[in-house]
Amino acid sequence: MIKIFTRSGKWLSLMAAFGVLAVGCAGKIEIDVRPESLLMTVNDIQDDSCGPWESGGVRHQKDKQGAVAAAVIDWETPDGCEVGVSVFAYGDAEGAGKTFERGGPRHWWGDIWPYDPVKVDVTVPVAADAYELLCIGGSGEQGCFNWSYWARYGSHLVDLESFGLDRKDRYISKEAFMRTLGNVDSRIASVLKRSR
């Protein structure tokens, strides 16, 4: 054991000092992929009925959904369409899985939705470990006022939403949302595969 003397003449064990450092480091959670690298780009959006898409940029959030890190990007058009994705990074798949089960859009919005959410089948292949697609305001087949895809990809959770807020018909077609979902899923799967 190495002894270190402080200015007051007291000594500290170097081993004890390292023990304190080790305990401090053990509490940190490593993120294999930063959430901002999984966010969608304008090229992922496949709804041409809305006009030109613009974004306010990436926002980072702390302590959102119990995640270690989170990033959000929203895109909108002058025509009143919005689409956005939030990515929540956890240190492990178990933590992400627990939040996936007890969280998600159904729980966030609860009783404040003016419409009942309808669970809809995903008609494009996705690489997610678990997912749910909801249509809020609409039948799902013809279109929805709000599409909400909630998914777990390993230790990351993804919330992809699309709104037709100020549109005359107020609906986003299922076909357009599925094309966007396919692009977003492909991007996420590709980035996660490269990180392994």
Side-chain angles (χ1 to χ4, degrees):
M1 183 183 313
I2 301 171
K3 293 183 180 179
I4 300 174
F5 289 91
T6 63
R7 285 187 222 162
S8 64
K10 295 182 181 176
W11 60 271
L12 294 174
S13 162
L14 189 56
M15 298 274 290
F18 282 133
V20 170
L21 288 174
V23 169
C25 293
K28 285 191 171 185
I29 298 174
E30 293 293 322
I31 301 173
D32 50 350
V33 176
R34 302 300 307 172
E36 57 272 16
S37 66
L38 301 177
L39 294 177
M40 70 188 328
T41 69
V42 70
N43 293 330
D44 294 326
I45 303 170
Q46 295 296 306
D47 190 338
D48 300 328
S49 66
C50 290
W53 292 93
E54 296 179 9
S55 175
V58 176
R59 298 185 314 276
H60 296 275
Q61 300 175 324
K62 290 186 178 180
D63 302 323
K64 181 82 170 172
Q65 297 296 316
V68 176
V72 177
I73 192 165
D74 297 307
W75 296 88
E76 57 186 44
T77 70
D79 222 14
C81 295
E82 287 187 25
V83 65
V85 67
S86 301
V87 178
F88 308 97
Y90 296 79
D92 55 49
E94 182 180 349
K98 287 178 182 175
T99 303
F100 176 82
E101 292 299 325
R102 69 174 186 262
R106 191 183 296 268
H107 299 278
W108 302 335
W109 298 105
D111 296 331
I112 66 169
W113 268 333
Y115 311 102
D116 289 330
V118 176
K119 194 168 182 179
V120 178
D121 290 333
V122 173
T123 57
V124 295
V126 293
D129 298 303
Y131 59 88
E132 178 179 56
L133 176 62
L134 299 175
C135 167
I136 299 98
S139 67
E141 293 309 314
Q142 289 78 30
C144 292
F145 163 69
N146 173 207
W147 288 101
S148 182
Y149 171 76
W150 176 238
R152 181 178 70 81
Y153 293 82
S155 61
H156 293 77
L157 297 182
V158 172
D159 175 37
L160 171 64
E161 301 219 19
S162 185
F163 297 90
L165 295 176
D166 297 323
R167 295 177 60 163
K168 291 176 186 168
D169 62 6
R170 298 176 67 86
Y171 288 99
I172 306 294
S173 75
K174 182 177 183 181
E175 182 183 0
F177 185 78
M178 286 300 149
R179 287 194 313 264
T180 299
L181 172 55
N183 289 346
V184 170
D185 176 82
S186 177
R187 172 182 297 283
I188 291 169
S190 174
V191 171
L192 292 176
K193 186 176 182 180
R194 284 195 310 264
S195 73
R196 292 182 186 142

